[in-house]
């Protein structure tokens, strides 16, 4: 459909509003009679609560109320629960926690909410929170993913007897061990996938308004689509009918997975609003974001791979410890099995596979989904193994990958854990990346860098993801009196450009002018009842298919109205590019929409209006993939790394808007480079968070990133009619292994085979100089 249809690099509608300061975020909203909330947080990683004194806080100016866990328990509010149900091989179920909104007897991580103060102003609430006094009996803390399973480690939940949530296994360990032992080449890697602070630009916040007359609650908060928050609040925590809780998200400054989760602070703000019958607002600060927003990643992996004499993989063994924190979040325990598990062994054909996963409790904030949700960790394992296999076999890094890729003739390819990869051209995607990066000409550039005292390296990473999970989503299209078309969506745009892409789809399917399409999202009252939200790179599939289905229903109804206007039969009417035609005459969709509002112009049995709500409920899961090449220089005197070239070739299926997908790739690469080079959450031995501000936590900056060349190798998905695959998580998946591979390549003359992330200048310098220090 020309300039504004599918595949066109249309500039984002949203940008003018956001870049000129007209965005509306939760903290921008204030209401008459509004009170402010502030939270008292635990200073200890593990301690019994032996007493609390709120009297001094209650006497301070402006203080309205102080609530503790005892108040919540007395009110009968629910708990934050996890519905996963894994078992070990003996059939023993996993240990499960029920997290109190505010604990009454014991606190289990620094930053846990212990009390809430409500006051007339923000300053008064924060000042009064400082006056709430808790008494504690401090206990030893379990800190560190690997250390939590060592003999004698403190146990987070003594009633479980161990910090291991469950020992989940797939495959025949003895069989895989035998094949590894008989392999011509056997390689192994020990990896730490570092813990990350998700760091959305907008800190968490919430404002709750209680309507006592209607018995309804309205909550303004950042989200990734409010339906999941609505259900958690209404059904699990507040014990209200679901339709009595309304979640509204205006603009949201970053999601990345954690914005789809329920937190105690949101429930407490709602509780206070209901209790006091007045609006209550909370705005978290950056330190609270570091301490209490769920973290990402944090795995320790040992992996072994066997190859035959020709360099083809015959067996794989992966053992994973994943740190789930003190409490089970919604998805933290699932990530290795259902996130990474859906794709591991990733882009490669591996005949035999054993997978061991032990989620472990520690006295830290919980981990949960973060851009990629288990897939970056799984791909990192495989790509480090492939580099090790290249060294062991003497094959080039690209060649050992090429020999082991899943081939086109093997598709649809069923993965070990039961998922089906429908499409992909892994070798072609890698070759396109290598060519764009001038892989063959690299050695000349390495030599030139050496003349300037720099160590130059190049790395490649080939990866695959899983997108489109929970393939049910509602979508509604309505023609308005002024000629506009409104898209009512339960998916929620928090950076993905839905307002633009959905307008392109409506323009493509119905011929409606691009500028006449409006998007309404972020409101559970207006969203279709079957909507779920935006996560896991699903919106282009489930939302796009919903628009396609609703458009088809509008065309079907429009043909009946057009036939009536043209004095023809509906079967004789065609529709193309916004016009209904018979062999002798035509009428525009705009004219049909206008006629649909006039009962006198409608045929018998046709209801007024063009307004269709549909539910897409089909197979939409797909497997976006790509190949990234990173070229960089290391200064051996300082350990400083400079990325000098980065090429990303992605197979996102049919690309709906290249401009927007490029933006998604750039942002993902920035986050992946951040994990590889600068970012790392650190707790000390007592469970105190050391990296609780940007003075200590290394966010990637412009200096860490080069200009990124983003290209596509389009292989349409076969699981949805649009042919689209997810795009939002590619950069964060491909960048860490590509960067690490390049650094190791640059430092191979020092005998360095692997370095754990983040590759800070100090860590790199120490690795270079350790042999000298040993001498």
């Amino acid at each position: 459909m020309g300039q504004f249809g599918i595949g066109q690099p249309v500039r984002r509608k949203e940008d003018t509003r956001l870049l000129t300061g007209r965005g509306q975020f939760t903290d921008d909203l204030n209401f008459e009679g509004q009170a402010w909330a502030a939270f008292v947080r635990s200073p200890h990683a593990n301690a019994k609560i032996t007493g609390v004194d709120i009297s001094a806080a209650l006497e301070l100016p402006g203080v309205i109320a102080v609530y503790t866990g005892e108040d919540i328990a007395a009110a009968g509010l629910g708990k934050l629960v996890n519905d996963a149900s894994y078992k070990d091989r003996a059939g023993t179920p996993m240990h499960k926690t029920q997290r109190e909104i505010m604990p009454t007897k014991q606190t289990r991580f620094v930053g846990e909410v212990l009390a809430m103060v409500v006051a007339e102003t923000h300053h008064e609430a924060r000042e009064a929170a400082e006056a709430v006094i808790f008494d504690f009996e401090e206990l030893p803390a379990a800190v560190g993913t690997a250390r939590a399973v060592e003999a004698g480690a403190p146990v987070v939940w003594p009633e479980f007897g161990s910090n291991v949530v469950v020992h989940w296994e797939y495959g025949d360990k003895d069989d895989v061990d035998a094949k590894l032992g008989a392999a011509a080449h056997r390689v192994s890697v020990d990896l730490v996938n570092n813990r990350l602070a998700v760091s959305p630009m907008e800190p968490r916040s919430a404002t709750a308004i209680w309507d006592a007359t209607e018995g309804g609650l309205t909550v303004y908060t950042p989200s990734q689509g409010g339906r999941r928050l609505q259900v958690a609040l209404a059904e699990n925590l507040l014990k209200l009918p679901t339709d009595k809780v309304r979640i509204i998200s205006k603009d949201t400054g970053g999601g990345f997975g954690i914005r789809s989760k329920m937190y105690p602070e949101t429930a407490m703000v709602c509780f206070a609003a209901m209790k006091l019958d007045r609006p209550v607002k909370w705005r978290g600060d950056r330190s609270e974001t570091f301490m209490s927003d769920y973290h990402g990643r944090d795995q320790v992996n040992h992996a072994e791979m066997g190859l035959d004499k020709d360099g083809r993989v015959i067996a794989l063994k992966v053992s994973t410890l994943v740190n789930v924190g003190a409490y089970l979040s919604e998805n933290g325990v699932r990530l290795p099995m259902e996130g990474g598990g859906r794709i591991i062994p990733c882009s490669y054909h591996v005949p035999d596979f054993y997978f061991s996963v032990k989620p472990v409790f520690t006295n830290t904030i919980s981990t949960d989904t973060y851009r990629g949700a288990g897939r970056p960790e799984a791909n990192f394992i495989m790509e480090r193994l492939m580099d090790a296999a290249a060294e062991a076999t003497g094959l080039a890094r690209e060649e050992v990958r090429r020999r082991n890729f899943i081939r086109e003739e093997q598709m649809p390819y069923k993965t070990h854990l039961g998922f089906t990869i429908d499409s992909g051209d892994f070798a072609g995607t890698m070759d396109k990346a290598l060519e764009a990066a001038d892989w063959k000409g690299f050695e000349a550039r390495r030599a030139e860098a050496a003349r300037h005292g720099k160590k130059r390296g190049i790395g490649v990473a080939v990866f695959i993801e899983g997108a489109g999970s929970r393939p049910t989503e509602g979508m509604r299209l309505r023609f308005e009196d002024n000629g506009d078309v409104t898209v009512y969506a339960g998916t929620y745009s928090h950076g993905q450009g839905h307002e633009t892409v959905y307008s392109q789809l409506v323009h493509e399917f119905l011929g409606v002018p691009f500028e006449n399409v409006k998007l309404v999202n972020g409101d559970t009252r207006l969203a279709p009842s079957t909507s779920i939200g935006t996560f896991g790179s699903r919106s282009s599939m489930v939302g796009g298919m919903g628009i396609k289905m609703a458009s088809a229903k509008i065309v079907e109804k429009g043909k009946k109205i057009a036939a009536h206007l043209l004095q023809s039969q509906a079967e004789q009417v065609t529709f193309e590019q916004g016009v209904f035609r018979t062999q002798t005459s035509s009428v525009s969709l705009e004219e049909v929409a206008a006629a649909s509002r006039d009962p006198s112009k409608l045929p018998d049995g046709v209801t007024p209006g063009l307004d269709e709500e549909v539910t897409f409920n089909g197979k939409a899961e797909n497997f976006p993939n790509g190949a990234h090449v990173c070229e960089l220089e290391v200064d051996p005197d300082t350990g400083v790394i400079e990325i000098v070239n980065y090429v990303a070739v992605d197979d996102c299926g049919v690309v709906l808007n290249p401009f927007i997908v490029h933006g998604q790739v750039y942002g993902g690469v920035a986050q992946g480079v951040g994990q590889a080079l600068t970012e790392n959450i650190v707790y000390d031995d007592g469970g105190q968070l050391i990296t609780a501000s940007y003075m200590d936590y290394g966010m990637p900056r412009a200096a860490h990133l080069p200009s990124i060349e983003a290209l596509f190798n389009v292989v349409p998905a076969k699981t949805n009619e649009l042919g689209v695959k997810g795009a939002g998580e590619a950069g964060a998946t491909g960048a860490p292994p590509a960067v690490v591979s390049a650094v190791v390549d640059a430092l191979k003359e020092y005998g360095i085979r692997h370095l754990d992330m983040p590759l800070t200048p100090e860590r790199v310098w120490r690795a270079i100089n350790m042999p000298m220090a040993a001498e």
Side-chain angles (χ1 to χ4, degrees):
M1 290 291 288
Q3 180 182 357
F4 296 106
I6 288 176
Q8 297 303 307
V10 180
R11 295 281 171 169
R12 299 196 336 162
K13 284 184 173 183
E14 300 91 332
D15 286 348
T16 299
R17 175 175 61 83
L18 293 170
L19 294 174
T20 55
R22 289 182 285 132
Q24 193 173 42
F25 298 86
T26 299
D27 190 45
D28 294 322
L29 304 172
N30 293 286
F31 301 90
E32 185 177 353
Q34 168 184 292
W36 282 84
F39 292 97
V40 181
R41 299 183 182 275
S42 172
H44 300 297
N46 194 19
K48 292 182 180 179
I49 300 171
T50 59
V52 58
D53 184 355
I54 64 174
S55 58
L58 286 170
E59 292 175 0
L60 290 175
V63 173
I64 301 166
V66 178
Y67 301 110
T68 68
E70 297 292 347
D71 299 301
I72 299 304
L77 270 65
K79 299 179 180 180
L80 294 167
V81 298
N82 173 279
D83 62 1
S85 57
Y86 298 106
K87 297 180 180 180
D88 65 18
R89 287 240 160 117
T92 305
M94 61 183 275
H95 299 309
K96 301 187 73 167
T97 60
Q98 291 194 347
R99 182 182 178 184
E100 296 175 288
I101 294 174
M102 295 193 296
T104 55
K105 297 180 180 179
Q106 187 168 344
T107 178
R108 288 182 168 85
F109 69 91
V110 171
E112 184 170 15
V113 173
L114 302 182
M116 180 176 75
V117 175
V118 182
E120 296 292 347
T121 70
H122 188 210
H123 174 75
E124 289 170 336
R126 290 176 68 97
E127 184 176 12
E130 297 289 337
V132 176
I133 305 300
F134 278 87
D135 295 323
F136 301 97
E137 178 187 331
E138 193 171 357
L139 301 170
V143 182
T145 308
R147 284 162 35 197
V149 298
E150 293 176 352
V155 178
V156 179
W157 296 89
E159 58 267 41
F160 297 154
S162 165
N163 287 324
V164 176
V165 179
V166 67
H167 183 196
W168 179 91
E169 298 173 89
Y170 167 84
D172 188 325
K173 181 177 181 295
D174 292 340
D175 180 55
V176 170
D177 280 339
K179 290 181 178 177
L180 290 172
H185 304 281
R186 182 173 183 172
V187 297
S188 66
V189 294
D190 288 287
L191 311 172
V192 174
N193 209 291
N194 41 324
R195 178 181 276 235
L196 305 175
V198 176
S199 296
M201 189 178 298
E202 175 192 21
R204 204 151 36 88
S205 56
T207 300
I209 303 171
W210 173 246
D211 184 338
T213 303
E214 297 293 330
L217 183 71
T218 300
V219 185
Y220 293 86
T221 190
S223 77
Q224 293 177 220
R227 190 71 70 201
R228 293 159 78 186
L229 302 184
Q230 177 192 39
V231 171
L233 266 177
E235 298 180 6
N236 298 343
L237 300 176
L238 303 179
K239 311 301 182 183
L240 293 172
T242 304
D243 62 357
K244 293 297 184 180
V245 175
R246 182 183 186 184
I247 307 292
I248 298 176
S249 303
K250 296 292 187 178
D251 291 308
T252 289
F256 311 122
I258 63 166
R259 284 291 185 253
S260 63
K261 315 306 176 190
M262 177 52 59
Y263 291 90
E265 294 90 341
T266 307
M268 279 305 305
V269 168
C270 295
F271 170 78
M274 296 167 67
K275 193 82 170 175
L276 300 173
D277 195 17
R278 62 185 291 187
V280 176
K281 178 176 180 176
W282 168 66
R283 179 185 68 223
D285 62 26
R286 186 56 60 181
S287 292
E288 289 179 295
T289 298
F290 272 104
M291 287 192 297
S292 62
D293 280 18
Y294 295 150
H295 291 163
R297 313 291 191 246
D298 202 342
Q299 290 188 10
V300 175
N301 312 111
H302 173 76
E304 300 179 57
M305 190 166 69
L307 302 96
D308 65 18
K309 61 182 178 60
D310 296 319
R312 290 185 170 82
V313 177
I314 58 174
L316 171 68
K317 179 181 178 181
V318 176
S319 298
T320 291
L321 298 176
V322 56
N323 189 338
V324 297
Y327 301 96
L328 296 182
S329 63
E330 180 187 17
N331 289 316
V333 72
R334 291 184 168 100
L335 294 180
M337 294 86 92
E338 296 184 35
R342 74 174 60 179
I343 49 96
I344 197 168
C346 304
S347 309
Y348 307 104
H349 173 62
V350 175
D352 211 351
F353 176 41
Y354 170 74
F355 193 17
S356 164
V357 178
K358 292 181 180 179
V360 296
F361 290 117
T362 62
N363 289 114
T364 63
I365 182 63
S366 304
T367 56
D368 207 302
T369 49
Y370 170 58
R371 200 167 192 168
R375 274 88 73 187
E377 298 93 313
N379 281 281
F380 190 75
I381 294 168
M382 291 305 302
E383 290 309 287
R384 296 309 300 135
L385 279 171
M386 283 294 163
D387 276 8
E391 182 180 18
T393 60
L395 296 170
R397 286 175 287 170
E398 68 275 21
E399 179 58 26
V400 76
R401 286 169 168 83
R402 185 175 288 109
R403 293 188 185 191
N404 287 285
F405 282 139
I406 300 166
R407 301 184 306 277
E408 184 177 1
E409 60 266 26
Q410 292 176 286
M411 295 186 186
Y413 182 89
K414 190 171 183 179
T415 69
H416 280 278
L417 271 68
F419 296 89
T420 302
I421 300 174
D422 65 290
S423 60
D425 174 19
F426 306 128
T429 298
M430 182 183 72
D431 288 341
K432 190 170 184 177
L434 297 178
E435 182 179 359
D438 188 21
W439 182 273
K440 292 180 179 179
F442 168 72
E443 289 303 330
R445 298 191 296 277
R446 191 202 294 270
E448 177 63 24
R451 284 192 284 272
H452 295 89
K454 299 295 179 66
K455 305 301 179 183
R456 198 172 183 107
I458 194 167
V460 61
V462 182
F463 62 90
I464 188 170
E465 304 174 72
S469 62
R470 304 191 194 185
T472 298
E473 188 65 42
M475 192 66 69
R476 179 186 176 194
L477 298 186
R478 186 177 76 183
F479 279 71
E480 309 293 353
D481 292 348
N482 64 357
D484 288 348
V485 174
T486 303
V487 178
Y488 291 92
T491 57
Y492 176 67
S493 185
H494 47 283
Q496 296 88 346
H498 292 179
E499 187 175 349
T500 302
V501 175
Y502 288 174
S503 296
Q504 289 179 257
L505 291 172
V506 173
H507 176 71
E508 179 81 22
F509 300 141
L510 295 177
V512 175
F514 174 81
E515 62 275 11
N516 288 3
V517 183
K518 314 300 179 186
L519 173 64
V520 173
N521 66 178
D523 189 334
T524 55
R525 180 171 294 176
L526 300 178
S529 60
T530 54
S531 63
I532 299 177
T534 291
F535 50 89
S537 298
R538 70 191 295 271
S539 296
S540 60
M541 290 79 65
V542 295
M545 283 302 300
I547 289 175
K548 182 176 176 64
M549 291 169 59
S551 298
K553 293 190 73 171
I554 284 171
V555 169
E556 180 183 4
K557 183 175 182 178
K559 285 181 177 180
K560 297 176 182 178
I561 300 171
H564 185 71
L565 296 174
L566 299 174
Q567 298 182 351
S568 181
Q569 299 297 316
E571 296 79 11
Q572 297 175 346
V573 177
T574 62
F575 179 78
E576 186 177 8
Q577 297 186 5
V579 180
F580 294 94
R581 288 185 172 86
T582 66
Q583 290 185 342
T584 57
S585 56
S586 65
V587 61
S588 70
L589 176 57
E590 184 179 5
E591 293 171 306
V592 167
S596 75
R597 294 187 287 273
D598 184 349
S600 67
K601 296 181 179 179
L602 295 177
D604 293 340
V606 174
T607 56
L610 293 181
D611 186 348
E612 298 291 345
E613 181 174 322
V614 301
T615 297
F616 172 74
N617 190 6
K619 186 176 181 181
E621 187 164 54
N622 58 85
F623 296 87
N625 58 87
H628 289 195
V629 176
C630 175
E631 188 169 336
L632 49 76
E633 288 184 348
V634 179
D635 184 335
D637 295 328
T638 63
V640 170
I641 296 168
E642 180 186 3
I643 299 176
V644 296
N645 188 41
Y646 197 101
V647 173
V649 178
D650 288 287
D651 170 14
C652 308
V654 173
V655 179
L656 300 180
N657 183 318
F659 180 75
I660 287 177
V661 175
H662 281 160
Q664 289 287 309
V665 172
Y666 300 153
V669 168
Q671 287 180 277
V673 167
Q675 177 174 11
L677 297 185
T678 65
E679 298 187 52
N680 196 32
I681 282 287
V682 178
Y683 287 89
D684 70 12
D685 290 344
Q688 294 293 328
L689 180 60
I690 303 301
T691 50
S693 78
Y694 291 134
M695 293 294 289
D696 303 298
Y697 185 86
M699 287 292 282
R701 300 175 182 270
H704 293 108
L705 297 167
S707 178
I708 300 167
E709 183 177 8
L711 305 170
F712 301 117
N713 183 23
V714 176
V715 181
K718 298 178 182 178
T719 56
N720 63 84
E721 294 178 26
L722 295 175
V724 298
K725 302 175 184 177
E729 296 161 315
T733 304
V739 171
V740 172
S741 178
V743 171
V744 172
D745 181 57
L747 303 180
K748 61 184 179 181
E749 67 183 81
Y750 300 101
I752 295 170
R753 298 294 175 261
H754 176 73
L755 289 174
D756 281 324
M757 302 180 290
L759 304 179
T760 61
E762 180 186 3
R763 181 169 288 181
V764 172
W765 183 89
R766 287 184 180 277
I768 293 171
N769 288 278
M770 280 297 289
M772 296 172 59
E775 293 174 2

